Amino acid sequence: MGHTSREELRARRENTRARLLEAGKDLLATVPLGGIASHLRSGEVTRRAKLSAGSLYYHWMSQDEYIVDLVDYVLRCMSDERAAKAKEHAQDMFAATLEDDQPLPKAVRSIGNAAFAQLQADDSVFLQMALWSAHRDDPEIARRLKDMYSRVQSCWRAHVEQTVQAQGRKWRSPFDASAMTTALIALSEGLLLRSKVDPEAVPEYNHPDGNWTMMSTLSLALYHAMTTTADELDDVRDQD
């Protein structure tokens, strides 16, 4: 029987630990609102991970210690995934606006529809809401969520700014790219929640160039409300 090296043992331990955290992350989507520790059971976690019943306590001294690391793991995964998706959609939108055969409204419709559809399929948004609802007095949870929003916003902000410049538009005071990305993120999460409990309140609109989700429609409206052309700015100055 071959000798198992320290590196192999370490790799196995890390793999087991990762499986337990991933199993807990999956289970969090099914537990009721309230404190995580009061609903998540170690036996459920190990069964989900297809590991022996005592494996969790080989890596953590108690379930409370596991919960602390699990919340940290969940929020880090959420932040990484959300930032990666935001970067992808932001880059696509900016590239589309630079194509001569695709005007801005069409680019906004295409990317807005796709981004909202992806958000609707992302269960982590509701896990995020549940974590905040159950632990809103926890400064560490607040800090993690703030970091996630900052990462997502930074992915969009530069591309929004580039799009405004490429379109020859200017920001209306007091707005800027940060204000627009904050509004879009908040809008998308609000519409997502409403669409789950009342789908008819968040319809799609038929148009000759294709269907528009409420998200993409309002995104274009926000763009025109928060930005203006140089000629429009001159008209405002003349009126003053």
Side-chain angles (χ1 to χ4, degrees):
M1 192 170 180
H3 175 70
T4 302
S5 68
R6 289 184 178 180
E7 289 74 18
E8 289 174 321
L9 287 172
R10 186 182 301 111
R12 288 180 185 177
R13 285 196 295 269
E14 290 176 353
N15 177 263
T16 299
R17 192 175 189 277
R19 286 169 64 185
L20 289 165
L21 289 170
E22 189 63 26
K25 176 173 172 283
D26 291 342
L27 284 170
L28 281 184
T30 67
V31 299
L33 283 178
I36 292 172
S38 64
H39 298 293
L40 207 59
R41 298 286 180 261
S42 61
E44 295 175 335
V45 174
T46 53
R47 281 194 295 273
R48 183 86 174 198
K50 297 181 179 179
L51 294 167
S52 62
S55 57
L56 187 143
Y57 295 106
Y58 180 78
H59 298 274
W60 292 274
M61 294 294 292
S62 68
Q63 184 165 299
D64 286 344
E65 287 189 6
Y66 169 74
I67 293 296
V68 170
D69 284 352
L70 174 61
V71 170
D72 182 70
Y73 174 76
V74 166
L75 291 176
R76 279 191 287 110
C77 289
M78 197 181 297
S79 180
D80 290 344
E81 293 167 6
R82 203 75 60 77
K85 291 173 183 176
K87 184 176 181 180
E88 176 187 349
H89 286 304
Q91 289 175 336
D92 288 347
M93 179 176 172
F94 180 60
T97 61
L98 297 181
E99 296 178 5
D100 293 336
D101 59 343
Q102 180 154 294
L104 179 68
K106 186 176 180 180
V108 171
R109 178 181 64 81
S110 175
I111 302 303
N113 288 357
F116 192 64
Q118 193 172 64
L119 192 64
Q120 287 179 305
D122 185 359
D123 290 335
S124 73
V125 180
F126 297 101
L127 178 54
Q128 163 198 324
M129 293 178 183
L131 281 170
W132 173 245
S133 176
H135 303 276
R136 56 185 175 274
D137 295 326
D138 187 333
E140 186 60 25
I141 296 292
R143 183 185 68 80
R144 286 286 188 182
L145 290 174
K146 179 181 177 181
D147 288 346
M148 181 196 70
Y149 280 122
S150 295
R151 288 186 64 189
V152 171
Q153 191 163 345
S154 68
C155 293
W156 278 104
R157 187 167 49 235
H159 292 287
V160 167
E161 189 67 69
Q162 289 175 312
T163 299
V164 170
Q165 293 176 5
Q167 293 288 313
R169 297 182 71 86
K170 304 288 183 181
W171 292 106
R172 296 180 190 269
S173 180
F175 303 120
D176 57 17
S178 292
M180 175 170 280
T181 51
T182 296
L184 289 173
I185 293 169
L187 178 64
S188 65
E189 291 185 355
L191 288 175
L192 173 64
L193 180 59
R194 185 65 186 271
S195 71
K196 294 297 184 180
V197 300
D198 186 7
E200 292 183 359
V202 188
E204 287 194 0
Y205 303 106
N206 295 322
H207 193 269
D209 66 355
N211 287 349
W212 286 71
T213 61
M214 184 176 284
M215 180 65 210
S216 57
T217 304
L218 293 175
S219 296
L220 186 61
L222 273 177
Y223 178 81
H224 287 295
M226 290 185 168
T227 67
T228 185
T229 64
D231 290 341
E232 289 172 338
L233 279 176
D234 289 339
D235 290 341
V236 171
R237 292 192 187 101
D238 291 340
Q239 291 174 7
D240 292 341

